[in-house]
Amino acid sequence: MSLSPLPEPHWTQVPKVARIVDYFTGGTDNYAADRALAHRLRQTAPWLPQMLLINRQYSQRAVEYMSRVLRIGQFLDLGYGMPHNSDAHPLKPLHTYDAASLACTPRVVYVHNSRVVHGHAKTSLAEHAGTAAIHTNAREVGRLMDNKAVASLIDINCPVAALCDDLLCWMTDEDAAWFVADLHDRLPPGSAISVSHATTDTAPEVMGELAGLYAEHGIVFRPRSRDHIGQLLGPWTPVAPGLVTPAQWPTPPDHSFPGADQSHAYAAVALHRPAGAAPAARSSRSWISSLLRRRRSRPESEASPIQPFAEPGFVSAATAARWVAP
């Protein structure tokens, strides 16, 4: 006698990262399953809500830098989490459209693979003519760039800012490497990406426990070393100050809150290298193959110093601005 398969749990009974983050940041768009896992995560890492806040504050500064200094007015917000109305939540960091609006009239496409988050985004963003929310997997860059909503707002012939904050750590090594390389291949020179990424360099045992808790619910969580995060940036060139803790970007804070010691992450804004800056041998595909071979050949703790930064090295904000200045 064959047993009938167990019914799939209702979507509200399956914890999701976006709703867990919403709970940690004071939102109300979360459910009992999200809160239950959030409590376990916070018991393991009491600093987790602070870490998320620091990363969100970094993201706002990165958007302001991209729009004001790099003069980019087109944004792809990839895996943006549960949206909120900045006017209704004055204590939360500004969302991408509101942050970029301080310097320009932006066009922003919000991308998420959750139907629930997508539904909230469509409602929250309806009043902004320069925005669109699409439901797709951000890591499928080709499908994303061919989406009609993206094509209607984003001019692919002009620089684009891709926000990958708190995104790569939810991908396997291979998926993350291909994703970053595909963005570089599809976006024009002068484009930029913003990356914030949980690290194993601080509290490695706690990070391992967090990864285990997420894995119990089928969620991939991959905090990485600074070396590994730098290698994932591969074909992109970080602007000064390079890959630092989110609280220290672009300069160390002049007060104790939020402190870099609670970041447990690294962050960087990186530029699409201008034509001819990268040697031919450093094509995206050859770089990925080399990176993945190195990662499989030795454990994280034995990784070599960051190589992608060796050539051409960090560039200053002034140099970055000249690359994309009209």
Side-chain angles (χ1 to χ4, degrees):
M1 182 178 68
S2 60
L3 298 176
S4 301
L6 294 175
E8 291 290 330
H10 191 269
W11 59 268
T12 61
Q13 298 174 321
V14 180
K16 295 294 183 182
V17 173
R19 300 198 303 259
I20 292 172
V21 173
D22 175 73
Y23 172 72
F24 276 141
T25 54
T28 58
D29 295 307
N30 49 77
Y31 300 94
D34 308 309
R35 295 189 289 271
L37 179 53
H39 289 316
R40 296 180 66 195
L41 294 169
R42 186 158 53 186
Q43 285 179 337
T44 301
W47 37 258
L48 194 53
Q50 177 79 344
M51 172 185 173
L52 294 172
L53 176 61
I54 293 171
N55 286 341
R56 288 295 179 88
Q57 291 172 330
Y58 154 77
S59 185
Q60 176 181 327
R61 296 195 301 273
V63 170
E64 292 175 1
Y65 174 87
M66 290 170 158
S67 58
R68 193 181 303 278
V69 178
L70 301 184
R71 303 183 186 180
I72 299 177
Q74 306 185 112
F75 292 83
L76 290 173
D77 196 334
L78 308 175
Y80 52 88
M82 200 69 71
H84 65 267
N85 184 311
S86 296
D87 293 334
H89 299 273
L91 297 181
K92 283 191 175 185
L94 296 177
H95 249 292
T96 299
Y97 182 89
D98 298 314
S101 294
L102 299 175
C104 64
T105 302
R107 298 190 300 277
V108 183
V109 176
Y110 294 86
V111 182
H112 208 283
N113 63 352
S114 165
R115 292 189 182 276
V116 176
V117 175
H118 171 65
H120 279 272
K122 289 184 67 176
T123 302
S124 177
L125 302 170
E127 62 189 71
H128 298 308
T131 65
I134 63 176
H135 172 240
T136 191
N137 193 330
R139 71 189 67 186
E140 297 177 4
V141 176
R143 178 178 296 180
L144 168 64
M145 298 306 297
D146 292 336
N147 186 282
K148 291 182 180 180
V150 174
S152 68
L153 279 179
I154 302 297
D155 181 357
I156 197 60
N157 297 310
C158 298
V160 177
L163 305 180
C164 309
D165 301 326
D166 194 26
L167 181 63
L168 301 182
C169 59
W170 307 103
M171 300 182 189
T172 65
D173 289 352
E174 189 166 4
D175 284 348
W178 278 113
F179 169 76
V180 173
D182 284 347
L183 275 178
H184 189 269
D185 290 345
R186 292 298 296 259
L187 297 180
S191 294
I193 61 171
S194 172
V195 171
S196 62
H197 196 304
T199 184
T200 52
D201 288 351
T202 57
E205 293 183 0
V206 174
M207 283 295 180
E209 292 179 29
L210 293 178
L213 289 173
Y214 280 118
E216 291 179 14
H217 299 274
I219 300 172
V220 172
F221 178 56
R222 295 286 187 272
R224 297 179 172 98
S225 68
R226 182 178 184 272
D227 168 60
H228 194 173
I229 299 166
Q231 290 174 345
L232 285 176
L233 287 174
W236 297 84
T237 302
V239 302
L243 192 61
V244 296
T245 61
Q248 293 176 316
W249 196 98
T251 57
D254 56 4
H255 48 78
S256 60
F257 178 83
D261 59 329
Q262 294 298 317
S263 295
H264 297 283
Y266 292 107
V269 170
L271 290 169
H272 194 298
R273 289 172 175 166
R282 289 290 300 278
S283 67
S284 295
R285 295 184 181 277
S286 63
W287 159 72
I288 290 175
S289 298
S290 175
L291 170 61
L292 293 178
R293 282 198 302 271
R294 290 199 302 272
R295 301 314 307 182
R296 294 182 185 123
S297 66
R298 59 178 179 269
E300 187 103 332
S301 60
E302 298 178 10
S304 62
I306 297 174
Q307 297 303 316
F309 297 165
E311 47 82 24
F314 296 135
V315 297
S316 68
T319 300
R322 286 200 299 272
W323 283 359
V324 295

